[in-house]
Amino acid sequence: MAQFGKLVLSRPDGQEQEYLLGKPTIILGRGTTSDITLSDARVSRTHARLDCNDAGCTLTDLGSANGVLVNGKRVEQAVLAPGDVIALGDSTLRFEVEPSAPTVDLIAIDSTAELDATLAQATVRMTLTDTAHPRLVVYTAARTWEVPLKQETLSIGRHSTSDLRLNFASASRHHATIERVRGGFRIRDLDSTNGTWLGDQRIEERLLQDGDTVRIGDVRLVFKSGFRTEELTLVKEPAPGQKLARPPVVFVPGMMGSELWRGSERLWPNVKVMFTEPEVFRLRPDDGMEARGIVGEVVLVPNFVKQQHYSRLGDYLEEALGYGRGHDLFEFAYDWRQDNRLSARRLAAAIEEWAPARPITLIAHSLGCIVSRYYVERLGGKQKVGRLILLGGPHAGYPKAISHLLSGTEILPFGLLGERARQVIATFPSLYQILPTAAYVADRAGEQIDVLSDESWVATEQRGLLRDARQFRRELGTQTSVPTVSIFGYGLKTITGIQIQRTPTGQWEKVDFAHDEVGDTDVPIASAVLPGSEIHPVQQHHGSLYVDHDVKMRLRLELTR
């Protein structure tokens, strides 16, 4: 449960979205820099404020045009009790402090009414973390965690008395300190054996800047200076006639992040079509389906996909940073079922057509990271891309892909249509191309299994897709040839290992999944960090990474420095 409980937003279509309250002050409004952004014309840009502490939460109207109602009564300020219903414009939120209900792993749906009820119970989660205070995020091969910078001096080293103990041979006993100074925080090396590094430069001391990544041996420390939500918007407007020297942006969404149409009918997002007619999505050369625009609404499919509006990222870049869609901001839609090579070729053609004047910053989420990397590494994109920003990219694979391709009913929420649904997604080349690498899968004896080489677990008719995925991964490689930032989630329960039990003939008989709090619920940290890239960890769910305030601040720094 979040520190101060949660707000549950009920949408007009009956679906719900949870906001976990992990910070003491939360702004609700229509503006893209609000902590909780409500796409509601009757909601003011900064409509209300929620102030929380150990005693509870108080809601205050910030002079909104249409007011704040709690349990049907208009209020200027109110102390909330569990179960209170808040109305802002046409949006309704419920305040809860009880633990969330346990996740249901199997959903059987026999009628449209049951489908509606299931969707109404589904939620997409977003964690609202406190970004106002300076902190370090410590990244190691084993885990990632946060250290608040509250004291005047933080000692770092291998010694047991260090404030931040790094129990690694590459760290000296007394390696470095971080000191609070006028103007911020300064890191000072204490004549360590292996040095303190910022990028490729060994440093003796340095005034830290927001987003700096300091390396001590194999440990990376990401400094976050802290910010208020109003700082997410550009403070200095350009003088009349002056243009900001910022790069054009191309955004590539992830799996299910682009609308799919057949003629005048929108098939995705259309969850009822997905539940009742899953065969519509079977990939065929002549299926007549095409991508038109990125998804501009919350998408909820219980146990399968939960994601925020992809268009929210573009809204933020327009509203807060002054970008313009079709001018210096371009959103690439693609058929996420198809071979990622084909999507990458279409991305290359789209960028040629858009003809941005300067090297672009390519921002991608999830599967879009794989498409973008293939464009950069294999299709000449390195000549046009100045910087690559990857959010939750499954670079070493997406462990859930195995469960999706194997389990049908147990994983996909198509109820009695489970096997039909499994057969549909088994036609998606893109899913095979993000299968996890050998490091995630082993048999009961502990021997690692390369799921791209071991063909015993897939049907004969799908083995060609598996072989092609193996070739795709070789073509893609594991490195980056342009400056890259890996933004990834941590601290949330994510699949970390898959154990296979075989029959005496070597066939897969049983699959067990191990979980730990080392990812963003979908992609483990070890997969989301591309070797050779800068890193930016955030404690956020996979489907909400691109609307996280910490991520927005990193984008603001990247696009305006």
Side-chain angles (χ1 to χ4, degrees):
M1 185 175 66
Q3 182 180 358
F4 303 117
K6 64 183 178 182
L7 287 178
V8 182
L9 171 65
S10 298
R11 299 188 173 278
D13 58 7
Q15 298 177 355
E16 293 187 337
Q17 181 172 356
E18 288 184 2
Y19 295 91
L20 307 181
L21 308 179
K23 56 184 295 188
T25 301
I26 292 160
I27 301 297
L28 301 90
R30 197 178 71 251
T32 59
T33 57
S34 298
D35 296 297
I36 298 178
T37 302
L38 302 171
S39 300
D40 184 336
R42 298 188 66 245
V43 171
S44 300
R45 290 172 61 83
T46 52
H47 196 109
R49 185 183 70 244
L50 192 65
D51 296 299
C52 297
N53 55 38
D54 292 338
C57 292
T58 300
L59 183 67
T60 303
D61 189 335
L62 297 178
S64 64
N66 294 306
V68 173
L69 279 71
V70 175
N71 299 327
K73 295 182 179 180
R74 184 160 183 166
V75 298
E76 296 296 325
Q77 190 174 75
V79 177
L80 297 180
D84 278 353
V85 176
I86 303 161
L88 308 180
D90 294 325
S91 302
T92 302
L93 301 103
R94 185 175 66 256
F95 177 62
E96 296 184 358
V97 295
E98 295 83 10
S100 302
T103 301
V104 178
D105 292 325
L106 177 62
I107 302 173
I109 298 171
D110 296 314
S111 67
T112 301
E114 289 182 355
L115 172 59
D116 290 337
T118 298
L119 293 179
Q121 295 170 4
T123 58
V124 59
R125 289 187 173 184
M126 182 174 181
T127 300
L128 301 177
T129 54
D130 189 358
T131 57
H133 302 291
R135 60 208 187 278
L136 283 179
V137 180
V138 185
Y139 168 78
T140 72
R143 68 187 185 105
T144 300
W145 72 99
E146 188 172 291
V147 177
L149 295 174
K150 295 181 178 180
Q151 62 264 60
E152 293 300 310
T153 301
L154 179 85
S155 59
I156 304 171
R158 202 174 68 248
H159 197 274
S160 60
T161 60
S162 298
D163 297 316
L164 174 55
R165 188 182 183 192
L166 303 179
N167 197 17
F168 302 94
S170 56
S172 297
R173 288 166 58 82
H174 302 284
H175 196 107
T177 60
I178 293 180
E179 305 163 357
R180 187 186 296 269
V181 297
R182 186 174 182 179
F185 290 84
R186 179 175 59 205
I187 188 165
R188 185 194 302 273
D189 184 80
L190 300 178
D191 295 323
S192 63
T193 301
N194 295 312
T196 301
W197 298 78
L198 185 66
D200 295 330
Q201 181 182 3
R202 184 167 180 167
I203 58 174
E204 294 184 2
E205 64 177 67
R206 161 91 177 210
L207 186 66
L208 291 172
Q209 304 296 317
D210 194 27
D212 276 352
T213 300
V214 175
R215 180 168 54 85
I216 295 177
D218 295 328
V219 179
R220 287 193 262 182
L221 311 175
V222 180
F223 173 68
K224 298 186 178 184
S225 62
F227 62 90
R228 300 180 302 277
T229 54
E230 53 265 32
E231 295 178 71
L232 292 170
T233 301
L234 278 176
V235 177
K236 294 182 179 179
E237 295 292 337
Q242 178 188 7
K243 292 185 178 180
L244 289 172
R246 62 186 175 206
V249 167
V250 174
F251 175 55
V252 184
M255 178 75 79
M256 297 185 167
S258 303
E259 295 185 353
L260 297 183
W261 292 70
R262 179 183 292 157
S264 60
E265 182 183 10
R266 190 181 75 168
L267 297 175
W268 179 259
N270 187 330
V271 176
K272 288 188 178 181
V273 169
M274 191 175 187
F275 272 80
T276 57
E277 303 176 67
E279 287 82 6
V280 166
F281 295 97
R282 181 185 290 272
L283 184 63
R284 302 181 181 90
D286 57 348
D287 63 15
M289 215 175 289
E290 63 175 344
R292 300 181 197 165
I294 67 173
V295 170
E297 58 198 75
V298 171
V299 177
L300 297 166
V301 181
N303 296 351
F304 185 38
V305 58
K306 299 179 181 181
Q307 65 189 30
Q308 288 270 4
H309 314 62
Y310 268 114
S311 60
R312 283 278 179 85
L313 179 60
D315 294 344
Y316 167 71
L317 296 179
E318 281 194 318
E319 181 179 312
L321 302 188
Y323 276 83
R325 284 183 168 96
H327 172 61
D328 53 3
L329 170 60
F330 306 93
E331 296 164 321
F332 174 66
Y334 63 100
D335 187 340
W336 31 264
R337 304 170 303 158
Q338 67 189 7
D339 188 326
N340 290 311
R341 299 182 187 90
L342 180 56
S343 297
R345 286 196 287 271
R346 290 181 174 170
L347 173 61
I351 291 175
E352 284 295 323
E353 180 181 347
W354 294 328
R358 304 173 64 239
I360 64 173
T361 293
L362 189 54
I363 303 173
H365 176 250
S366 196
L367 181 68
C369 298
I370 304 303
V371 173
S372 299
R373 286 181 53 214
Y374 196 89
Y375 161 65
V376 168
E377 303 300 333
R378 303 289 299 184
L379 301 176
K382 67 183 71 174
Q383 308 302 324
K384 296 182 179 296
V385 175
R387 200 153 178 83
L388 191 57
I389 302 177
L390 306 175
L391 292 79
H395 308 297
Y398 170 59
K400 285 185 178 179
I402 287 184
S403 63
H404 294 339
L405 289 167
L406 278 177
S407 304
T409 303
E410 293 183 5
I411 299 298
L412 298 177
F414 292 86
L416 299 179
L417 302 177
E419 176 56 22
R420 288 168 60 190
R422 190 202 64 77
Q423 290 178 8
V424 169
I425 66 169
T427 67
F428 296 180
S430 60
L431 198 57
Y432 293 88
Q433 292 169 356
I434 55 172
L435 281 165
T437 58
Y440 291 101
V441 187
D443 61 20
R444 290 295 176 92
E447 183 178 348
Q448 290 190 345
I449 299 172
D450 183 350
V451 297
L452 289 170
S453 298
D454 183 347
E455 299 182 356
S456 64
W457 66 281
V458 294
T460 302
E461 59 269 25
Q462 265 81 53
R463 290 179 181 175
L465 291 173
L466 192 65
R467 293 166 192 153
D468 187 67
R470 188 162 64 239
Q471 176 60 31
F472 172 83
R473 294 297 286 269
R474 283 196 291 264
E475 294 170 10
L476 181 64
T478 59
Q479 301 292 323
T480 177
S481 59
V482 299
T484 300
V485 182
S486 294
I487 298 177
F488 60 91
Y490 71 93
L492 300 173
K493 190 176 179 181
T494 307
I495 294 176
T496 56
I498 303 170
Q499 188 178 76
I500 307 301
Q501 179 176 320
R502 296 182 185 270
T503 65
T505 60
Q507 299 299 307
W508 289 21
E509 183 177 43
K510 185 179 180 183
V511 182
D512 295 317
F513 297 92
H515 297 77
D516 204 350
E517 295 180 348
V518 291
D520 63 9
T521 67
D522 282 1
V523 180
I525 295 171
S527 181
V529 176
L530 186 64
S533 68
E534 298 178 37
I535 63 169
H536 190 88
V538 294
Q539 196 160 12
Q540 190 57 268
H541 296 74
H542 185 77
S544 297
L545 280 171
Y546 42 91
V547 292
D548 180 86
H549 275 359
D550 199 329
V551 173
K552 288 178 181 176
M553 177 53 78
R554 180 63 189 242
L555 294 179
R556 179 188 184 281
L557 293 171
E558 291 286 339
L559 298 174
T560 59
R561 64 183 177 184

